[in-house]
Amino acid sequence: SLSDLEQAFQAKIDAEQKIEPKDWMPAKYRSNLVRQVSQHGHSEVIGMQPEGNWITRAPSLRRKAVLLAKVQDEAGHGLYLYSATETLGTSRAELIEALQTGKAKYASIFNYPTQTWGDIGAIGWLVDGAAICNQVSLQRTSYGPYARSMIRICKEESFHQRQGYQIMIELAKGTPAQKAMAQDSLNRFYWPSLMMFGPHDSDSAHSAQSMKWKIKRETNDDLRQKFIDQTVPQIEYLGLEHPDKDLKWNEERGHYDNGEIDWEEFTSVINGNGHCNRQRISHHVAAHEEGSWVREAQNAYNKKMKARRAS
Ligand code: FAQ
């Protein structure tokens, strides 16, 4: 019966065994995974835009080559994650449609504009840094294809994080104008980076079930705390001011207490009203349409080869 199947499924999860594409799974496990993994993939793909904005203006040939490689890596991450989602029975066309019609979300951070070169440093350092914090825990997620994609993605993200921090070091140790640029980028990207971890656990719609199924291995607040704690010495090393004026070491907890996040801003951005939401989606739609001839040519070729094999 269904409940026997569900019990056996939960027992497998409790025993830390991976769920694979052809295994039986509850319909809600499948749909929750499709939701999370596809939104994760969309974040990687839309995340190419804010950094892509600076490829032509990178300050040296070396920086241009590095940034180009990093943005290309994000496309690859999107590809692994879309492939993992496809193993759950959702087609690529359905995924793209959900993104473009606003049915599926992507990380709110990518709706903020990249105004200066310092923002490229801040994104690598803070945004990739926050992404790693979350993804390290997801290497142990219960769905096999998702877990395996996270292993490779984390390796690449650590390179991204270092290239961003290195940009920040150069700016922070540079001229007063460069240092001011680094501080401004830190100020603008710090709070949105904290929002990447999602709402407080008490307001998180999916956390309880996702933790039980081990789709998620650590809660939004626990991961955010880890990120807050690890970022403090990094800001100190740069000699920059911490953007959170309420930040205080809590001896008893062994963690930093932090100021409250602007949750109104978070809600507004995920509901489509950030600075760049419309621009990000319209750019995606345009690129997708421009690439339609490639998909048509590929389909025509596949059809021809299939007919040839059949005859
Ligand atoms: N932005 O119930 P919860 C990267 C939504 S890394 C937008 O707590 P959940 C690398 C959430 O989807 C960034 N929406 O949800 C890179 C849900 O809405 P729904 C991507 C958010 O899933 C670096 C609702 O709020 N990483 O791209 C956000 O349990 C640099 C309720 O929230 C991942 O996606 C947000 N920040 O926890 C690329 C990691 N937070 O679906 C380029 C995998 C929450 O019901 C350059 N994902 N929402 O309509 C996760 O770990 C989880 O999905 C969370 C959210 C933690 C993001």
mmCIF file of all heavy atoms in Angstrom, residues 41 86 191 221 267:
data_model
loop_
_atom_site.group_PDB
_atom_site.id
_atom_site.type_symbol
_atom_site.label_atom_id
_atom_site.label_comp_id
_atom_site.label_asym_id
_atom_site.label_seq_id
_atom_site.Cartn_x
_atom_site.Cartn_y
_atom_site.Cartn_z
ATOM 1 N N GLY A 41 18.828 26.004 -10.429
ATOM 2 C CA GLY A 41 19.351 26.113 -11.801
ATOM 3 C C GLY A 41 19.056 27.479 -12.418
ATOM 4 O O GLY A 41 19.940 28.099 -13.025
ATOM 5 N N GLU A 86 15.539 17.219 -14.916
ATOM 6 C CA GLU A 86 14.940 16.408 -15.980
ATOM 7 C C GLU A 86 14.821 14.936 -15.574
ATOM 8 O O GLU A 86 13.899 14.245 -16.014
ATOM 9 C CB GLU A 86 15.751 16.556 -17.276
ATOM 10 C CG GLU A 86 15.481 17.894 -17.958
ATOM 11 C CD GLU A 86 16.448 18.200 -19.106
ATOM 12 O OE1 GLU A 86 17.676 18.071 -18.910
ATOM 13 O OE2 GLU A 86 15.979 18.560 -20.179
ATOM 14 N N TRP A 191 23.644 42.889 2.734
ATOM 15 C CA TRP A 191 22.306 42.487 3.198
ATOM 16 C C TRP A 191 21.598 41.570 2.202
ATOM 17 O O TRP A 191 21.027 40.537 2.607
ATOM 18 C CB TRP A 191 21.471 43.733 3.540
ATOM 19 C CG TRP A 191 22.002 44.456 4.750
ATOM 20 C CD1 TRP A 191 22.743 45.599 4.758
ATOM 21 C CD2 TRP A 191 21.886 44.063 6.121
ATOM 22 N NE1 TRP A 191 23.080 45.951 6.045
ATOM 23 C CE2 TRP A 191 22.566 45.030 6.892
ATOM 24 C CE3 TRP A 191 21.265 42.990 6.782
ATOM 25 C CZ2 TRP A 191 22.638 44.958 8.298
ATOM 26 C CZ3 TRP A 191 21.338 42.921 8.172
ATOM 27 C CH2 TRP A 191 22.017 43.895 8.909
ATOM 28 N N ASP A 221 18.247 29.595 8.814
ATOM 29 C CA ASP A 221 18.897 30.428 9.844
ATOM 30 C C ASP A 221 20.267 29.875 10.246
ATOM 31 O O ASP A 221 21.189 30.648 10.502
ATOM 32 C CB ASP A 221 17.992 30.555 11.081
ATOM 33 C CG ASP A 221 16.828 31.524 10.842
ATOM 34 O OD1 ASP A 221 16.999 32.486 10.074
ATOM 35 O OD2 ASP A 221 15.744 31.296 11.415
ATOM 36 N N THR A 267 10.691 40.520 0.323
ATOM 37 C CA THR A 267 9.396 40.137 -0.258
ATOM 38 C C THR A 267 9.146 40.895 -1.553
ATOM 39 O O THR A 267 8.681 40.330 -2.546
ATOM 40 C CB THR A 267 8.262 40.449 0.744
ATOM 41 O OG1 THR A 267 8.619 39.869 2.002
ATOM 42 C CG2 THR A 267 6.932 39.882 0.299
#
